[in-house]
Amino acid sequence: SNFINTDVPNLAAEISSYMGYDAHVIGNHDIETGHIVYDRFSSELSSPLLGANVICTTTNEPYFKPYTMINRDGVRIAILGMLTPAIPYWLHESLWEGFHFSDIVESTKMWISHLREKEQADVIIGLFHSGLKDGISTDCYKENSVLDVAESISGIDLIIYGHDHHAYCQEIRCKDGSTTLCLNPSSCAYMVADAEIKVKRDGERKEVRVAGKL
């Protein structure tokens, strides 16, 4: 579907749409199929393909939609997508021509502020194609940044992530004392990550509690 016959509807897009997902995030294995495939994949999905730090060099704006907003029972939920910026380490530039990949931590800081102030998000979920920590690290990019984000940026209630293939379910404490639940269901559909988010309002005050399991 990706490399042999690109003239038929994309099978992955058909399956994802059938499953009824609210959002997707672009991954490095999507990028390796080349523009003709992931552009079509994105257009055929029934919900947005996110990638806030995949920047178009012509416009200097995100090439993919950076985030999506969902309303559930009056609760405004923001889902923010990020891709590991280590793409140039693995893939030839012909596959991502016209892009550059911003640092996940810096990009997340900017978008969290936007989601809180402009979108008035009650709950913020990070959907990251990046591992927890370690991996490839150079002067230009860091492969795995979930731990860095959770420890340094407050205001994210939940990060659902993948890429390093390691199952993980743990709250990470930020420098300001708040916590972010980080969930990774491993790989190859061995597990499913399940998070329950409870929002309690008392006038202007709001309390968000997140519990997760694999």
Side-chain angles (χ1 to χ4, degrees), residues 16-17 20-24 41-42 44-50 68:
S16 295
S17 299
Y21 293 122
D22 293 305
H24 306 73
F41 173 61
S42 178
E44 293 180 1
L45 286 169
S46 60
S47 54
L49 181 64
L50 307 178
T68 187

Side-chain angles (χ1 to χ4, degrees), residues 42 92 124 156 163 179 205:
S42 178
H92 191 271
I124 295 180
I156 307 173
H163 180 66
T179 59
R205 295 182 61 191

Side-chain angles (χ1 to χ4, degrees), residues 185-205:
S186 182
S187 61
C188 301
Y190 291 137
M191 301 181 189
V192 172
D194 179 41
E196 183 179 90
I197 302 174
K198 294 183 178 181
V199 180
K200 182 179 179 180
R201 294 186 186 277
D202 182 8
E204 293 297 317
R205 295 182 61 191

Side-chain angles (χ1 to χ4, degrees), residues 90-102:
W90 303 295
L91 302 177
H92 191 271
E93 188 175 355
S94 61
L95 299 172
W96 46 272
E97 186 177 6
F99 295 164
H100 69 84
F101 307 95
S102 299

Side-chain angles (χ1 to χ4, degrees), residues 114-128:
H114 173 85
L115 294 173
R116 290 294 186 198
E117 296 172 11
K118 303 296 183 181
E119 293 287 2
Q120 299 294 303
D122 297 304
V123 175
I124 295 180
I125 299 172
L127 187 60
F128 289 5

Side-chain angles (χ1 to χ4, degrees), residues 142-205:
K142 185 171 183 179
E143 179 182 3
N144 297 321
S145 299
V146 170
L147 184 62
D148 290 339
V149 168
E151 289 183 335
S152 64
I153 304 174
S154 61
I156 307 173
D157 300 292
L158 168 68
I159 298 177
I160 300 175
Y161 73 98
H163 180 66
D164 62 10
H165 298 189
H166 297 306
Y168 192 85
C169 177
Q170 188 171 318
E171 285 189 340
I172 302 297
R173 188 166 298 278
C174 187
K175 59 187 178 182
D176 70 349
S178 63
T179 59
T180 298
L181 177 65
C182 296
L183 282 174
N184 182 349
S186 182
S187 61
C188 301
Y190 291 137
M191 301 181 189
V192 172
D194 179 41
E196 183 179 90
I197 302 174
K198 294 183 178 181
V199 180
K200 182 179 179 180
R201 294 186 186 277
D202 182 8
E204 293 297 317
R205 295 182 61 191

Side-chain angles (χ1 to χ4, degrees), residues 3-4 9 11 13 18 23-24 32 38 41 50 55 63 70 74 79 99 109 111 120 128 140 151 165-166 187-188 204:
F3 297 104
I4 298 172
L11 180 60
Y18 173 80
H24 306 73
E32 72 183 8
Y38 55 75
F41 173 61
L50 307 178
I55 307 302
Y63 184 81
I70 299 170
I79 303 176
F99 295 164
K109 284 180 182 177
W111 284 106
Q120 299 294 303
F128 289 5
C140 299
E151 289 183 335
H165 298 189
H166 297 306
S187 61
C188 301
E204 293 297 317

